[in-house]
């Protein structure tokens, strides 16, 4: 079946301000995010692509625009099922404030039980994203053959949940996965099983440098984090 190239959107203004954007409208790429998006065509220059599928949110559409401009005729499809998690009442709030919410411990340690107030559950988020990928795999293979490669641009928690599904991991383990802004995660689907070919590949090692402010006790960054400074 098809090979899926997952791209997390480039760094956004919400990432750098420490806000959980969710589906808040008007969240754009920041200067670094725009540069990450501009570099994407070069990183994929040797890869034949059948299509681009994007979350409807602005930061994803801005991330794939340079790739589409570099490849006239490459079709773009918008897929609602790979939209950001609906964080409900948490959307637009500072992540530092959310760390004190009792629900955050559930999100960190038992995410399969987490339901965001006024939003959706992480289980529902994963289910819709997995369904979308399976449907697009079939469509891409039917239209372009079983060796086809296509891009899907989405969000940190969506991509982490898709990686967990591909590896046969329970959703409660998905917080152990990390993907930086504009990183590439590649999953090759076959009749018998998926293969994780790349995970969070940014093409550099800057994200491994020690941070001035370390993560809080190993907590996962809800929404995906801002990447290297």
């Amino acid at each position: 079946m098809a090979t899926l190239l997952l791209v997390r959107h480039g760094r956004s203004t919400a990432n750098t301000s420490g806000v959980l954007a969710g589906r808040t409208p008007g969240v754009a790429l920041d200067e670094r995010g725009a540069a990450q998006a501009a570099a994407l065509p070069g990183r994929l220059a040797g890869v034949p692509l059948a299509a681009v599928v994007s979350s409807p949110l602005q930061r994803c559409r801005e991330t794939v625009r340079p790739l589409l401009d570099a490849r006239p005729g490459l079709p773009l499809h918008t897929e609602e099922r790979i939209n950001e998690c609906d964080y409900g009442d948490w959307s637009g709030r500072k992540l530092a404030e959310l760390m004190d919410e009792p629900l955050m411990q559930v999100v960190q340690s038992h995410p399969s039980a987490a339901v965001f107030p006024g939003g959706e559950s992480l289980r529902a988020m994963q289910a819709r994203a997995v369904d979308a990928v399976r449907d697009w795999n079939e469509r891409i293979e039917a239209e372009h053959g079983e060796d086809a490669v296509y891009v899907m641009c989405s969000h940190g928690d969506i991509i982490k949940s898709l990686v967990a599904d591909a590896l046969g991991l329970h959703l409660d383990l998905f917080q152990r996965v990390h993907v930086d802004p504009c990183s590439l995660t590649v999953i090759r689907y076959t009749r018998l099983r998926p293969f994780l070919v790349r995970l969070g590949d940014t093409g550099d090692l800057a994200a491994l440098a020690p941070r001035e402010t370390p993560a809080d006790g190993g907590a996962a960054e809800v929404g995906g984090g801002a990447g290297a400074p």
Side-chain angles (χ1 to χ4, degrees):
M1 297 180 70
T3 295
L4 170 62
L5 207 168
L6 287 161
V7 179
R8 185 184 167 201
H9 62 78
R11 196 173 75 175
S12 72
T13 54
N15 293 145
T16 46
S17 60
V19 169
L20 184 62
R23 299 180 179 182
T24 305
V27 177
L29 299 183
D30 68 4
E31 184 176 354
R32 182 186 180 117
Q36 291 170 332
L40 194 57
R43 293 168 66 193
L44 297 177
V47 183
L49 299 174
V52 174
V53 182
S54 177
S55 158
L57 294 186
Q58 178 180 342
R59 54 193 182 272
C60 287
R61 292 185 283 107
E62 289 180 348
T63 298
V64 299
R65 176 46 52 192
L67 179 61
L68 295 167
D69 290 344
R71 301 199 189 193
L74 183 63
L76 170 65
H77 307 277
T78 301
E79 174 56 75
E80 181 65 38
R81 291 175 294 176
I82 61 167
N83 200 347
E84 177 65 284
C85 181
D86 184 356
Y87 297 115
D89 297 343
W90 279 25
S91 300
R93 292 182 60 187
K94 288 282 189 178
L95 286 163
E97 298 173 1
L98 293 171
M99 293 305 295
D100 295 328
E101 294 280 354
L103 178 60
M104 182 59 83
Q105 289 301 313
V106 182
V107 171
Q108 293 292 328
S109 303
H110 189 21
S112 64
V115 182
F116 294 100
E120 70 178 334
S121 68
L122 286 171
R123 293 191 321 279
M125 177 202 74
Q126 183 187 44
R128 63 175 166 82
V130 169
D131 284 347
V133 166
R134 301 295 180 178
D135 290 347
W136 277 101
N137 284 349
E138 292 184 7
R139 175 173 174 176
I140 293 295
E141 181 180 2
E143 295 179 0
H144 302 279
E146 61 182 12
D147 294 326
V149 180
Y150 71 107
V151 167
M152 185 173 277
C153 186
S154 188
H155 307 270
D157 282 347
I158 292 284
I159 294 173
K160 288 162 57 177
S161 73
L162 290 170
V163 170
D165 173 74
L167 292 176
L169 297 177
H170 195 283
L171 184 61
D172 284 345
L173 300 179
F174 100 123
Q175 297 290 26
R176 301 184 184 192
V177 179
H178 180 80
V179 289
D180 276 326
C182 222
S183 62
L184 305 178
T185 294
V186 182
I187 304 173
R188 179 173 295 125
Y189 288 86
T190 74
R191 301 296 176 190
L192 298 181
R193 63 183 61 85
F195 291 91
L196 182 63
V197 181
R198 294 283 190 279
L199 175 61
D201 188 342
T202 61
D204 64 59
L205 299 178
L208 300 181
R211 301 189 182 189
E212 293 182 6
T213 305
D216 183 14
E221 296 174 283
V222 180

mmCIF file of all heavy atoms in Angstrom, residues 1 23-24 29 32 38 44 49 59 61 84 86 91 93 108 110 117 124 134 143 153 157 169 188 192 203 209 213:
data_model
loop_
_atom_site.group_PDB
_atom_site.id
_atom_site.type_symbol
_atom_site.label_atom_id
_atom_site.label_comp_id
_atom_site.label_asym_id
_atom_site.label_seq_id
_atom_site.Cartn_x
_atom_site.Cartn_y
_atom_site.Cartn_z
ATOM 1 N N MET A 1 0.834 -1.190 0.000
ATOM 2 C CA MET A 1 0.000 0.000 0.000
ATOM 3 C C MET A 1 0.877 1.252 0.000
ATOM 4 O O MET A 1 2.084 1.169 -0.121
ATOM 5 C CB MET A 1 -0.947 -0.004 1.206
ATOM 6 C CG MET A 1 -1.939 -1.168 1.197
ATOM 7 S SD MET A 1 -3.053 -1.164 2.618
ATOM 8 C CE MET A 1 -4.069 0.266 2.236
ATOM 9 N N ARG A 23 -7.938 24.642 17.924
ATOM 10 C CA ARG A 23 -8.527 25.052 16.645
ATOM 11 C C ARG A 23 -8.784 26.548 16.574
ATOM 12 O O ARG A 23 -9.545 27.011 15.723
ATOM 13 C CB ARG A 23 -9.819 24.276 16.405
ATOM 14 C CG ARG A 23 -9.602 22.773 16.329
ATOM 15 C CD ARG A 23 -10.902 22.031 16.087
ATOM 16 N NE ARG A 23 -10.680 20.596 15.987
ATOM 17 C CZ ARG A 23 -11.639 19.708 15.744
ATOM 18 N NH1 ARG A 23 -12.893 20.122 15.569
ATOM 19 N NH2 ARG A 23 -11.364 18.422 15.672
ATOM 20 N N THR A 24 -8.152 27.300 17.450
ATOM 21 C CA THR A 24 -8.307 28.751 17.439
ATOM 22 C C THR A 24 -7.931 29.307 16.066
ATOM 23 O O THR A 24 -6.844 29.015 15.561
ATOM 24 C CB THR A 24 -7.401 29.401 18.506
ATOM 25 O OG1 THR A 24 -7.688 28.814 19.780
ATOM 26 C CG2 THR A 24 -7.634 30.897 18.568
ATOM 27 N N LEU A 29 2.161 30.629 11.070
ATOM 28 C CA LEU A 29 3.566 30.299 11.299
ATOM 29 C C LEU A 29 4.307 31.550 11.743
ATOM 30 O O LEU A 29 4.021 32.651 11.265
ATOM 31 C CB LEU A 29 4.207 29.763 10.013
ATOM 32 C CG LEU A 29 3.623 28.483 9.411
ATOM 33 C CD1 LEU A 29 4.441 28.073 8.190
ATOM 34 C CD2 LEU A 29 3.573 27.353 10.422
ATOM 35 N N ARG A 32 10.397 31.624 12.126
ATOM 36 C CA ARG A 32 11.124 30.360 11.994
ATOM 37 C C ARG A 32 10.265 29.308 11.305
ATOM 38 O O ARG A 32 10.754 28.538 10.473
ATOM 39 C CB ARG A 32 11.566 29.856 13.367
ATOM 40 C CG ARG A 32 12.366 28.562 13.282
ATOM 41 C CD ARG A 32 12.679 28.003 14.653
ATOM 42 N NE ARG A 32 13.433 26.767 14.518
ATOM 43 C CZ ARG A 32 14.664 26.584 14.951
ATOM 44 N NH1 ARG A 32 15.299 27.578 15.534
ATOM 45 N NH2 ARG A 32 15.272 25.430 14.804
ATOM 46 N N ALA A 38 9.635 26.849 4.034
ATOM 47 C CA ALA A 38 10.349 27.169 2.792
ATOM 48 C C ALA A 38 11.401 26.118 2.473
ATOM 49 O O ALA A 38 11.740 25.904 1.291
ATOM 50 C CB ALA A 38 10.993 28.550 2.909
ATOM 51 N N LEU A 44 12.401 17.394 0.287
ATOM 52 C CA LEU A 44 11.639 16.349 -0.402
ATOM 53 C C LEU A 44 11.935 16.302 -1.899
ATOM 54 O O LEU A 44 11.204 15.645 -2.651
ATOM 55 C CB LEU A 44 10.133 16.578 -0.192
ATOM 56 C CG LEU A 44 9.648 16.480 1.256
ATOM 57 C CD1 LEU A 44 8.160 16.802 1.339
ATOM 58 C CD2 LEU A 44 9.917 15.094 1.821
ATOM 59 N N LEU A 49 5.871 12.610 -5.343
ATOM 60 C CA LEU A 49 4.691 12.718 -4.490
ATOM 61 C C LEU A 49 3.420 12.642 -5.324
ATOM 62 O O LEU A 49 3.316 13.263 -6.389
ATOM 63 C CB LEU A 49 4.709 14.039 -3.714
ATOM 64 C CG LEU A 49 5.891 14.252 -2.757
ATOM 65 C CD1 LEU A 49 5.842 15.656 -2.177
ATOM 66 C CD2 LEU A 49 5.889 13.204 -1.654
ATOM 67 N N ARG A 59 -2.052 27.154 9.931
ATOM 68 C CA ARG A 59 -0.627 26.836 10.083
ATOM 69 C C ARG A 59 -0.200 25.637 9.242
ATOM 70 O O ARG A 59 0.956 25.553 8.814
ATOM 71 C CB ARG A 59 -0.269 26.644 11.553
ATOM 72 C CG ARG A 59 -1.107 25.630 12.320
ATOM 73 C CD ARG A 59 -0.849 25.807 13.817
ATOM 74 N NE ARG A 59 -1.542 24.866 14.686
ATOM 75 C CZ ARG A 59 -2.770 25.052 15.165
ATOM 76 N NH1 ARG A 59 -3.457 26.147 14.812
ATOM 77 N NH2 ARG A 59 -3.307 24.173 15.986
ATOM 78 N N ARG A 61 -1.816 24.813 6.277
ATOM 79 C CA ARG A 61 -1.889 25.276 4.896
ATOM 80 C C ARG A 61 -0.671 26.126 4.533
ATOM 81 O O ARG A 61 -0.150 26.049 3.415
ATOM 82 C CB ARG A 61 -3.191 26.048 4.665
ATOM 83 C CG ARG A 61 -4.428 25.149 4.734
ATOM 84 C CD ARG A 61 -5.709 25.879 4.378
ATOM 85 N NE ARG A 61 -6.195 26.719 5.462
ATOM 86 C CZ ARG A 61 -6.132 28.040 5.484
ATOM 87 N NH1 ARG A 61 -5.588 28.698 4.464
ATOM 88 N NH2 ARG A 61 -6.602 28.729 6.503
ATOM 89 N N GLU A 84 -6.601 19.509 14.169
ATOM 90 C CA GLU A 84 -6.061 19.476 15.528
ATOM 91 C C GLU A 84 -7.083 18.884 16.493
ATOM 92 O O GLU A 84 -8.305 18.939 16.248
ATOM 93 C CB GLU A 84 -5.690 20.901 15.959
ATOM 94 C CG GLU A 84 -5.187 21.048 17.385
ATOM 95 C CD GLU A 84 -3.860 20.344 17.617
ATOM 96 O OE1 GLU A 84 -3.891 19.105 17.734
ATOM 97 O OE2 GLU A 84 -2.830 21.036 17.714
ATOM 98 N N ASP A 86 -9.629 18.734 19.345
ATOM 99 C CA ASP A 86 -10.524 19.757 19.884
ATOM 100 C C ASP A 86 -10.318 19.813 21.396
ATOM 101 O O ASP A 86 -10.876 19.004 22.138
ATOM 102 C CB ASP A 86 -11.980 19.418 19.536
ATOM 103 C CG ASP A 86 -12.942 20.506 19.986
ATOM 104 O OD1 ASP A 86 -12.496 21.483 20.635
ATOM 105 O OD2 ASP A 86 -14.153 20.378 19.706
ATOM 106 N N SER A 91 -8.521 25.440 24.860
ATOM 107 C CA SER A 91 -7.974 26.130 23.690
ATOM 108 C C SER A 91 -7.706 27.599 24.013
ATOM 109 O O SER A 91 -8.535 28.280 24.632
ATOM 110 C CB SER A 91 -8.946 26.040 22.516
ATOM 111 O OG SER A 91 -9.181 24.698 22.166
ATOM 112 N N ARG A 93 -5.463 28.754 26.046
ATOM 113 C CA ARG A 93 -4.913 28.979 27.387
ATOM 114 C C ARG A 93 -3.414 28.703 27.411
ATOM 115 O O ARG A 93 -2.887 27.941 26.606
ATOM 116 C CB ARG A 93 -5.625 28.090 28.412
ATOM 117 C CG ARG A 93 -7.080 28.457 28.636
ATOM 118 C CD ARG A 93 -7.712 27.564 29.690
ATOM 119 N NE ARG A 93 -7.016 27.672 30.989
ATOM 120 C CZ ARG A 93 -7.286 26.889 32.031
ATOM 121 N NH1 ARG A 93 -8.214 25.943 31.930
ATOM 122 N NH2 ARG A 93 -6.629 27.042 33.168
ATOM 123 N N GLN A 108 -1.338 13.141 30.737
ATOM 124 C CA GLN A 108 0.042 12.676 30.733
ATOM 125 C C GLN A 108 0.156 11.168 30.954
ATOM 126 O O GLN A 108 0.933 10.487 30.281
ATOM 127 C CB GLN A 108 0.839 13.397 31.822
ATOM 128 C CG GLN A 108 1.036 14.879 31.584
ATOM 129 C CD GLN A 108 1.951 15.179 30.412
ATOM 130 O OE1 GLN A 108 2.877 14.435 30.126
ATOM 131 N NE2 GLN A 108 1.681 16.262 29.704
ATOM 132 N N HIS A 110 -2.629 8.734 31.537
ATOM 133 C CA HIS A 110 -3.714 7.827 31.131
ATOM 134 C C HIS A 110 -4.539 8.500 30.040
ATOM 135 O O HIS A 110 -5.745 8.701 30.184
ATOM 136 C CB HIS A 110 -4.572 7.507 32.355
ATOM 137 C CG HIS A 110 -5.588 6.434 32.171
ATOM 138 N ND1 HIS A 110 -5.508 5.478 31.173
ATOM 139 C CD2 HIS A 110 -6.727 6.170 32.868
ATOM 140 C CE1 HIS A 110 -6.547 4.671 31.266
ATOM 141 N NE2 HIS A 110 -7.306 5.068 32.273
ATOM 142 N N PRO A 117 -12.681 19.327 28.498
ATOM 143 C CA PRO A 117 -13.968 19.973 28.785
ATOM 144 C C PRO A 117 -14.439 20.822 27.609
ATOM 145 O O PRO A 117 -13.699 21.672 27.115
ATOM 146 C CB PRO A 117 -13.655 20.842 30.015
ATOM 147 C CG PRO A 117 -12.161 21.023 30.008
ATOM 148 C CD PRO A 117 -11.606 19.775 29.400
ATOM 149 N N ALA A 124 -11.134 9.609 20.687
ATOM 150 C CA ALA A 124 -11.872 10.009 19.482
ATOM 151 C C ALA A 124 -10.941 10.662 18.470
ATOM 152 O O ALA A 124 -11.065 10.447 17.259
ATOM 153 C CB ALA A 124 -13.003 10.958 19.854
ATOM 154 N N ARG A 134 -6.338 5.435 6.772
ATOM 155 C CA ARG A 134 -6.712 4.198 6.075
ATOM 156 C C ARG A 134 -7.473 4.511 4.786
ATOM 157 O O ARG A 134 -7.225 3.899 3.738
ATOM 158 C CB ARG A 134 -7.567 3.318 6.986
ATOM 159 C CG ARG A 134 -6.899 2.914 8.289
ATOM 160 C CD ARG A 134 -5.698 2.022 8.088
ATOM 161 N NE ARG A 134 -5.077 1.663 9.361
ATOM 162 C CZ ARG A 134 -4.031 0.870 9.492
ATOM 163 N NH1 ARG A 134 -3.464 0.353 8.418
ATOM 164 N NH2 ARG A 134 -3.525 0.598 10.681
ATOM 165 N N GLU A 143 -5.443 5.221 -7.130
ATOM 166 C CA GLU A 143 -5.223 6.224 -8.176
ATOM 167 C C GLU A 143 -3.783 6.268 -8.689
ATOM 168 O O GLU A 143 -3.547 6.654 -9.840
ATOM 169 C CB GLU A 143 -5.613 7.613 -7.651
ATOM 170 C CG GLU A 143 -7.103 7.747 -7.332
ATOM 171 C CD GLU A 143 -7.459 9.118 -6.794
ATOM 172 O OE1 GLU A 143 -6.551 9.966 -6.665
ATOM 173 O OE2 GLU A 143 -8.648 9.339 -6.492
ATOM 174 N N CYS A 153 -0.146 16.783 6.128
ATOM 175 C CA CYS A 153 0.313 17.806 7.059
ATOM 176 C C CYS A 153 -0.708 17.981 8.172
ATOM 177 O O CYS A 153 -1.869 18.329 7.921
ATOM 178 C CB CYS A 153 0.536 19.130 6.335
ATOM 179 S SG CYS A 153 1.272 20.408 7.398
ATOM 180 N N ASP A 157 -0.206 16.093 18.276
ATOM 181 C CA ASP A 157 -0.903 14.993 18.930
ATOM 182 C C ASP A 157 -1.521 14.026 17.915
ATOM 183 O O ASP A 157 -1.591 12.820 18.156
ATOM 184 C CB ASP A 157 -1.981 15.528 19.886
ATOM 185 C CG ASP A 157 -1.387 16.026 21.202
ATOM 186 O OD1 ASP A 157 -0.204 15.735 21.477
ATOM 187 O OD2 ASP A 157 -2.114 16.700 21.967
ATOM 188 N N LEU A 169 0.958 0.359 19.633
ATOM 189 C CA LEU A 169 1.035 0.820 21.011
ATOM 190 C C LEU A 169 -0.331 1.264 21.499
ATOM 191 O O LEU A 169 -1.108 1.875 20.760
ATOM 192 C CB LEU A 169 1.998 2.004 21.132
ATOM 193 C CG LEU A 169 3.468 1.769 20.801
ATOM 194 C CD1 LEU A 169 4.230 3.088 20.927
ATOM 195 C CD2 LEU A 169 4.063 0.732 21.738
ATOM 196 N N ARG A 188 5.286 3.388 6.213
ATOM 197 C CA ARG A 188 4.983 2.606 5.012
ATOM 198 C C ARG A 188 3.968 1.530 5.390
ATOM 199 O O ARG A 188 4.224 0.683 6.251
ATOM 200 C CB ARG A 188 6.257 1.978 4.451
ATOM 201 C CG ARG A 188 6.006 1.118 3.194
ATOM 202 C CD ARG A 188 7.317 0.646 2.580
ATOM 203 N NE ARG A 188 8.108 1.762 2.081
ATOM 204 C CZ ARG A 188 9.363 2.014 2.442
ATOM 205 N NH1 ARG A 188 9.974 1.227 3.311
ATOM 206 N NH2 ARG A 188 10.007 3.048 1.947
ATOM 207 N N LEU A 192 0.199 -6.551 5.586
ATOM 208 C CA LEU A 192 0.307 -7.251 6.861
ATOM 209 C C LEU A 192 0.540 -6.318 8.045
ATOM 210 O O LEU A 192 0.070 -6.594 9.146
ATOM 211 C CB LEU A 192 1.450 -8.282 6.797
ATOM 212 C CG LEU A 192 1.282 -9.394 5.771
ATOM 213 C CD1 LEU A 192 2.474 -10.337 5.841
ATOM 214 C CD2 LEU A 192 -0.025 -10.156 6.003
ATOM 215 N N GLY A 203 16.205 16.790 10.060
ATOM 216 C CA GLY A 203 17.383 17.026 9.238
ATOM 217 C C GLY A 203 18.530 17.678 9.982
ATOM 218 O O GLY A 203 19.573 17.944 9.413
ATOM 219 N N ALA A 209 20.003 19.821 21.796
ATOM 220 C CA ALA A 209 20.779 20.681 22.686
ATOM 221 C C ALA A 209 20.027 20.901 23.989
ATOM 222 O O ALA A 209 18.792 20.966 23.993
ATOM 223 C CB ALA A 209 21.049 22.020 22.003
ATOM 224 N N THR A 213 15.132 26.026 29.841
ATOM 225 C CA THR A 213 14.068 25.638 30.772
ATOM 226 C C THR A 213 13.704 24.196 30.489
ATOM 227 O O THR A 213 13.000 23.905 29.516
ATOM 228 C CB THR A 213 12.827 26.523 30.597
ATOM 229 O OG1 THR A 213 13.213 27.887 30.733
ATOM 230 C CG2 THR A 213 11.774 26.179 31.655
#
